[in-house]
Amino acid sequence: MVIGTKQARSSIQWPPCPHWPPFAREHCALAHFVGVAAVCLLLVAGTYCTARADDDDLEAALRGAADANRTVILSVLNKAYAEEDGLLDLFVEGLRRGDGTQRLIRYVLLVAMDRPAFRRCRSLGGVRCYRLPPAATNGTDDLSSEQMYMSGGFIRMMWRRIRLLGDVLRHGYSFVFTDLDVIWLKNPFPSLNRTREEDLLISSDQFNGRPEDYLGNELNTGFFFVATSNRTVALFDKWHAARNQSAGMKEQDVLNQMKRRGAFGRLGVRARVLDTARFSGFCQDSRDDSPRRPAGGHRARQLLPDDAGQGRRS
């Protein structure tokens, strides 16, 4: 039996320093500790600086594209979408030729999910492009190829999009998000008036004729406007977090599930559904008799806002 305090031994066995002079060997363990601590600090600082740099790059891109009301127009693309004569070219050409849409190009920020898409976006000229930092650095999250509908890659790409849009709101910017296959035939902003200071204006698959009835309309995330606020930041945070309990579901289905479960009401989010008389898609055609239609042969939806006014942008 040992009486008294037993000397504790460190569980870390530092390697000896045989080449050090005898008077310095007693500091060998301390030197090892200091070296390891320095490496750890560099790793932490590097991670923080990388995240901060990504954050600063996004802020700069948003600031460059935003209008006086800190509103931007956002769309997301990958290599498959950016192929020549594909959806990217069709989208940009629609903006250049649409009724009152050419002047909106300065407020568009195209977010590329991979380097080839970013390079192709930059090659177009006259449009703003931002390269989304990869979620993983080991190549396991490569989403540059065409992602088949509801495939694992498609669902991951949709959730990356929601995370990005939440970051945009956290930076204090409102936005219009548009899928790249939406053709802007007219300036939509006259029809995006927030009559009741709504936080969310969103398209639907089957409009029931009641814009305030977001519960009774199936929401479609291919085109929507979000005003930045604590409410909408919280909504996007909860929306993105819900992916962990929604395996195999795309983000649009999760949002519809959240609204049915009362998430909008709990967060105080005010929503209005866009009338398909002005914003239409393949699921429900527009009641507008305008002859403007998207070019055939592409997976495109049409955007048909009304003719009232010229919009708030100059």
Side-chain angles (χ1 to χ4, degrees):
M1 185 173 69
V2 178
I3 306 297
T5 304
K6 184 177 180 179
Q7 181 67 37
R9 298 184 61 185
S10 171
S11 59
I12 301 177
Q13 300 297 318
W14 300 106
C17 304
H19 302 295
W20 286 31
F23 68 87
R25 288 177 188 170
E26 62 185 76
H27 302 294
C28 178
L30 177 62
H32 280 298
F33 173 78
V34 171
V36 170
V39 170
C40 291
L41 286 173
L42 287 172
L43 289 173
V44 171
T47 301
Y48 171 79
C49 291
T50 300
R52 181 62 181 270
D54 292 343
D55 205 47
D56 290 345
D57 288 345
L58 177 59
E59 169 62 32
L62 293 169
R63 187 169 59 248
D67 70 357
N69 298 311
R70 293 176 65 87
T71 301
V72 295
I73 301 168
L74 295 168
S75 193
V76 173
L77 64 148
N78 65 357
K79 177 183 175 183
Y81 288 5
E83 290 178 356
E84 192 168 353
D85 296 325
L87 286 177
L88 174 61
D89 290 351
L90 183 65
F91 177 77
V92 174
E93 187 66 15
L95 287 173
R96 288 173 174 165
R97 295 191 178 193
D99 183 1
T101 58
Q102 185 173 10
R103 66 173 178 268
L104 301 180
I105 295 176
R106 74 184 74 172
Y107 306 112
V108 173
L109 181 62
L110 298 175
V111 180
M113 302 194 77
D114 53 73
R115 187 173 290 107
F118 180 67
R119 287 199 299 263
R120 180 80 213 306
C121 180
R122 292 286 297 273
S123 73
L124 295 179
V127 294
R128 298 180 185 275
C129 310
Y130 170 70
R131 167 76 162 94
L132 186 67
T137 57
N138 56 6
T140 58
D141 201 37
D142 181 14
L143 299 172
S144 60
S145 61
E146 182 176 5
Q147 304 299 325
M148 300 302 294
Y149 182 70
M150 291 307 294
S151 67
F154 173 86
I155 291 174
R156 289 199 307 276
M157 190 162 66
M158 296 302 102
W159 286 118
R160 285 283 284 137
R161 188 171 83 179
I162 298 307
R163 178 180 172 183
L164 163 71
L165 297 179
D167 289 341
V168 172
L169 294 172
R170 268 185 288 276
H171 278 264
Y173 292 87
S174 303
F175 63 81
V176 170
F177 177 81
T178 174
D179 274 345
L180 211 62
D181 63 353
V182 174
I183 308 302
W184 290 42
L185 302 182
K186 297 179 183 178
N187 181 353
F189 284 92
S191 299
L192 291 176
N193 53 318
R194 299 166 62 199
T195 55
R196 299 184 180 179
E197 292 299 307
E198 293 91 348
D199 303 297
L200 172 66
L201 305 175
I202 188 166
S203 57
S204 65
D205 284 335
Q206 293 290 339
F207 182 59
N208 66 10
R210 298 188 298 274
E212 280 72 36
D213 183 21
Y214 65 85
L215 288 172
N217 285 287
E218 196 70 9
L219 307 182
N220 186 297
T221 55
F223 182 88
F224 57 98
F225 166 83
V226 184
T228 182
S229 69
N230 291 336
R231 296 184 299 276
T232 53
V233 169
L235 174 65
F236 274 72
D237 283 346
K238 289 186 179 297
W239 189 3
H240 187 256
R243 77 195 187 285
N244 298 322
Q245 291 79 41
S246 310
M249 294 177 65
K250 65 181 184 294
E251 92 302 347
Q252 177 175 297
D253 296 336
V254 173
L255 181 65
N256 277 291
Q257 183 182 78
M258 288 173 60
K259 66 150 192 185
R260 286 191 292 268
R261 293 178 176 177
F264 287 19
R266 287 192 299 273
L267 296 172
V269 173
R270 298 181 291 267
R272 189 176 90 238
V273 180
L274 297 171
D275 192 337
T276 50
R278 300 176 175 90
F279 301 87
S280 67
F282 285 152
C283 295
Q284 184 175 357
D285 199 8
S286 172
R287 299 190 297 275
D288 190 322
D289 60 0
S290 168
R292 298 176 178 85
R293 290 294 184 267
H298 294 84
R299 295 177 299 162
R301 288 173 289 178
Q302 58 202 356
L303 179 61
L304 294 173
D306 63 15
D307 292 311
Q310 295 299 314
R312 62 188 173 120
R313 299 175 183 267
S314 58

